[in-house]
Amino acid sequence: MKSKVYFTDLRTSADRNLLYKLENLVKKAGIEKINFKDQFTAIKIHFGEPGNLAFLRPNFAYKIVDVLQKLGAKVFLTDCNTLYSGGRSNAIDHLNSAMINGYNPISANAQIIIADGLKGIDYVEVLLNGEYCKTAKIGAAIANSDIIITMSHVKGHELAGFGGTLKNIGMGCASIGGKMELHSVSKPVVIKKHCIGCGICVKNCAHKAITLDKGGKALINYELCTGCGQCVAICQYSGVISANDETSILMNKKIAEYSKAVVVDKPHFHIGFMIDVSPECDCWNYNDAAVVPNIGIAASFDPVALDTACAEMINRAPILESSNILKEKVEKNHCNNHQDKWKMIHPDTTWQASVEHAEKIGLGSRQYELITV
């Protein structure tokens, strides 16, 4: 049976601005069917790394908070700390970063709680008995919530390939220890003949796992490497540091299992924003030009159907002239505009592994009916 995915474009008018359309979308998609009365309701969102401007605007969160509060929910915005260095690796810096990017109890009309606590060690271990993960270390505030709502900025990802709802739930709700488990299969490789020895990967490795060898080339100590992928994203020279396809497949399957651990036995609802679709994750302190025009917003009770629909809508969209990263791939490989953009941007990834495995374990369906509202 096909899952229903509701969609609205970004066309507006004086009496139908984008926030009105967002509220109308989630109501048409059935969010009011959930009993929110006095329920602790986590809105899982990405607050954005300082310097990155592709993250979701707080205005969107304010509107969803308003809808939920009118339904009686005890709402909070949340995310877990990061595995890599940056502005969100502990709760103090994370909250400061959220504030820099405009998220606070006034702008969002809700409290912000970092789900895995001060140092990323506050978690609940959820029994999974999955094919790849026997348990999942989920941030305590998320695990202890009654209802899960996700707001996901749809974009690329250097290890997963595609960053949508499952990535937001599975990776984003994992504590630091959980993220280490998810990344444990990821061991980036340096193609030394292309490395110029600039040292940016050395400077940005949070785990001191990278040095320059006697020849001035990047050298990874795999005993220290956690597989967080920061070096892959931060390297300014294409193809110097990369993961491999097998790594991406296994990590995406683990993300699917962690996603199930987050939402199992709880009401959940998901919103995907196909706006400023950047080639990399919002975790980095920069964002490259969007790869396609802004498309719209989609919502569903089914995270698998939602991710599939969003990925396919973006694959069907034309490539923006300003997106040099995709234009170069098209010209070099003689691709056309409508091939798999996620594979074109990150050729060592297989994004479909997450939705395929999520469907296999009963998290949702890749078959969907797209309903425009």
Side-chain angles (χ1 to χ4, degrees):
M1 182 177 178
K2 293 182 177 180
S3 295
K4 293 182 178 180
V5 176
Y6 292 77
F7 170 77
T8 189
D9 62 27
L10 303 177
R11 296 297 305 276
T12 60
S13 61
D15 60 342
R16 286 175 58 86
N17 65 28
L18 195 52
L19 296 177
Y20 170 90
K21 293 188 74 173
L22 174 59
E23 179 176 356
N24 183 56
L25 171 72
V26 298
K27 288 182 175 178
K28 292 286 188 182
I31 198 170
E32 293 172 305
K33 295 177 182 177
I34 299 173
N35 179 16
F36 287 100
K37 182 65 175 175
D38 296 326
Q39 298 295 292
F40 290 105
T41 303
I43 296 181
K44 171 60 181 74
I45 197 167
H46 194 305
F47 299 118
E49 189 74 17
N52 187 304
L53 299 178
F55 62 90
L56 297 180
R57 295 179 180 179
N59 311 65
F60 294 128
Y62 187 101
K63 173 53 66 177
I64 298 301
V65 168
D66 182 59
V67 169
L68 301 184
Q69 286 180 342
K70 287 177 179 176
L71 296 171
K74 295 183 181 295
V75 189
F76 63 97
L77 303 180
T78 191
D79 197 2
C80 285
N81 292 307
T82 62
L83 183 59
Y84 51 81
S85 61
R88 298 177 302 115
S89 60
N90 63 78
I92 301 300
D93 291 345
H94 205 153
L95 289 170
N96 286 337
S97 296
M99 191 170 297
I100 288 169
N101 286 338
Y103 284 94
N104 58 62
I106 297 174
S107 66
N109 197 27
Q111 295 297 324
I112 297 173
I113 299 174
I114 305 306
D116 58 344
L118 184 64
K119 298 181 179 180
I121 57 176
D122 296 346
Y123 64 86
V124 173
E125 196 155 9
V126 179
L127 181 64
L128 264 177
N129 284 325
E131 186 176 347
Y132 302 96
C133 302
K134 299 307 176 186
T135 63
K137 299 178 178 69
I138 305 302
I142 292 172
N144 290 326
S145 64
D146 301 309
I147 299 170
I148 302 292
I149 307 295
T150 66
M151 298 178 65
S152 303
H153 173 222
V154 179
K155 59 217 174 275
H157 189 271
E158 59 283 350
L159 295 179
F162 171 79
T165 298
L166 292 175
K167 171 69 172 53
N168 189 19
I169 306 172
M171 185 69 75
C173 293
S175 68
I176 286 181
K179 287 182 172 69
M180 289 185 72
E181 181 179 13
L182 290 167
H183 283 97
S184 64
V185 295
S186 172
K187 298 300 181 185
V189 176
V190 178
I191 310 301
K192 291 199 173 187
K193 66 180 181 180
H194 298 314
C195 177
I196 68 165
C198 68
I200 192 170
C201 56
V202 177
K203 180 180 178 181
N204 286 276
C205 179
H207 309 283
K208 310 300 181 187
I210 308 179
T211 56
L212 296 182
D213 65 17
K214 291 181 180 179
K217 307 290 187 178
L219 177 67
I220 300 174
N221 181 342
Y222 292 111
E223 291 184 2
L224 298 176
C225 176
T226 64
C228 71
Q230 187 162 20
C231 58
V232 179
I234 207 72
C235 181
Q236 300 178 48
Y237 300 92
S238 177
V240 175
I241 306 180
S242 64
N244 59 62
D245 194 56
E246 185 178 349
T247 292
S248 175
I249 290 170
L250 185 50
M251 191 183 75
N252 273 320
K253 289 180 177 182
K254 285 186 171 185
I255 285 173
E257 293 189 359
Y258 259 65
S259 297
K260 185 173 182 178
V262 172
V263 303
V264 66
D265 298 329
K266 292 181 181 180
H268 54 96
F269 183 88
H270 312 281
I271 312 166
F273 293 77
M274 291 167 281
I275 300 171
D276 296 326
V277 181
S278 51
E280 308 283 359
C281 185
D282 294 346
C283 293
W284 311 120
N285 61 355
Y286 65 92
N287 59 282
D288 203 348
V291 296
V292 295
N294 288 343
I295 295 172
I297 310 171
S300 180
F301 285 100
D302 184 338
V304 181
L306 181 59
D307 266 3
T308 305
C310 289
E312 291 182 350
M313 278 191 275
I314 293 169
N315 277 340
R316 290 193 296 268
I319 295 171
L320 283 173
E321 279 295 312
S322 57
S323 178
N324 289 330
I325 189 170
L326 266 183
K327 285 173 62 183
E328 290 170 1
K329 300 283 186 181
V330 169
E331 293 166 2
K332 182 178 179 180
N333 301 316
H334 306 291
C335 303
N336 63 54
N337 274 357
H338 304 296
Q339 286 186 274
D340 189 340
K341 294 180 175 63
W342 314 109
K343 192 73 172 178
M344 290 165 64
I345 297 169
H346 300 293
D348 297 319
T349 65
T350 303
W351 68 269
Q352 296 94 334
S354 63
V355 291
E356 289 171 0
H357 192 62
E359 183 178 54
K360 176 183 174 182
I361 62 178
L363 192 53
S365 172
R366 288 179 292 157
Q367 302 300 314
Y368 63 90
E369 176 188 3
L370 192 65
I371 303 168
T372 300
V373 299

